[in-house]
Amino acid sequence: MKKMLTLFLIIAIAPLIAGFYGILNDQLTYTLSPEYYTKFKFYQFGLMDTSNEAIFPNPRLQASIVGFLATWWVGLPIGIILGLIGLINKGYKRMLIITIKAMFVTIFVAFITGLIGLAYGKLYLTNTGVNWWLPENLIDKENFIAVGSMHNFSYIGGLVGLIAGIIYSIRQKKKQL
């Protein structure tokens, strides 16, 4: 019974952890390319009506909102999958500890993959060009593309990170034997 309650707790907190990661990630990427938000993400997430550029008194707050909205939902399937795998552990306490650590493994891999995407965007895509929509009045095209690449890679990193989190969980179970 306690393990089932722990499973529900994991499923409940995973979106919050993912959303918090999104907030931190978008604070970093906002620093690198404010235009990615003021000319794209703020509109994409419905924080502004269509215009040339979204201007807010504190745009980092809106970047935080975008970060949370873009990632909380990814935490839900991650929490379900890692939580179900966590059931292999002896006891609810160990299940919770191992599964939370597996979530942080997932986040770490997603972040590193995002950084790879940033480098790929900066070193390759900015030279070859992209077939994405780019705002007409873009001033810093290079960083806009690099941040877009980082965001795309981060979602791939979430999947790869989930696999790493699963492997971590299973290895921790094998250590118990």
Side-chain angles (χ1 to χ4, degrees), residues 23-40:
I23 290 169
L24 294 177
N25 185 70
D26 282 16
Q27 290 303 308
L28 170 65
T29 55
Y30 182 87
T31 300
L32 299 172
S33 178
E35 286 183 298
Y36 188 74
Y37 293 86
T38 61
K39 296 180 180 176
F40 176 49

Side-chain angles (χ1 to χ4, degrees), residues 10-161:
I10 289 165
I11 292 170
I13 63 174
L16 297 175
I17 292 171
F20 185 68
Y21 167 77
I23 290 169
L24 294 177
N25 185 70
D26 282 16
Q27 290 303 308
L28 170 65
T29 55
Y30 182 87
T31 300
L32 299 172
S33 178
E35 286 183 298
Y36 188 74
Y37 293 86
T38 61
K39 296 180 180 176
F40 176 49
K41 284 293 181 181
F42 293 162
Y43 298 103
Q44 183 184 37
F45 281 85
L47 300 179
M48 290 292 294
D49 292 329
T50 305
S51 179
N52 286 335
E53 187 169 7
I55 306 296
F56 292 104
N58 184 5
R60 287 194 176 273
L61 175 61
Q62 281 72 25
S64 294
I65 292 167
V66 167
F68 186 85
L69 292 175
T71 57
W72 76 266
W73 63 272
V74 178
L76 193 56
I78 288 171
I80 291 169
I81 293 167
L82 291 178
L84 288 171
I85 290 173
L87 290 169
I88 66 175
N89 290 291
K90 288 185 179 179
Y92 72 96
K93 289 180 184 176
R94 181 149 176 86
M95 175 188 173
L96 180 63
I97 291 167
I98 297 300
T99 305
I100 296 295
K101 287 181 180 179
M103 284 184 205
F104 283 104
V105 167
T106 302
I107 287 170
F108 178 75
V109 171
F111 181 69
I112 296 301
T113 306
L115 291 178
I116 292 167
L118 179 68
Y120 177 73
K122 199 88 151 143
L123 300 173
Y124 179 74
L125 292 179
T126 56
N127 295 321
T128 62
V130 294
N131 60 357
W132 315 335
W133 171 84
L134 295 172
E136 291 178 21
N137 60 345
L138 196 55
I139 296 168
D140 187 355
K141 183 178 175 182
E142 183 177 300
N143 280 330
F144 188 98
I145 290 171
V147 166
S149 178
M150 181 176 183
H151 277 249
N152 293 340
F153 271 63
S154 291
Y155 285 108
I156 296 166
L159 178 59
V160 174

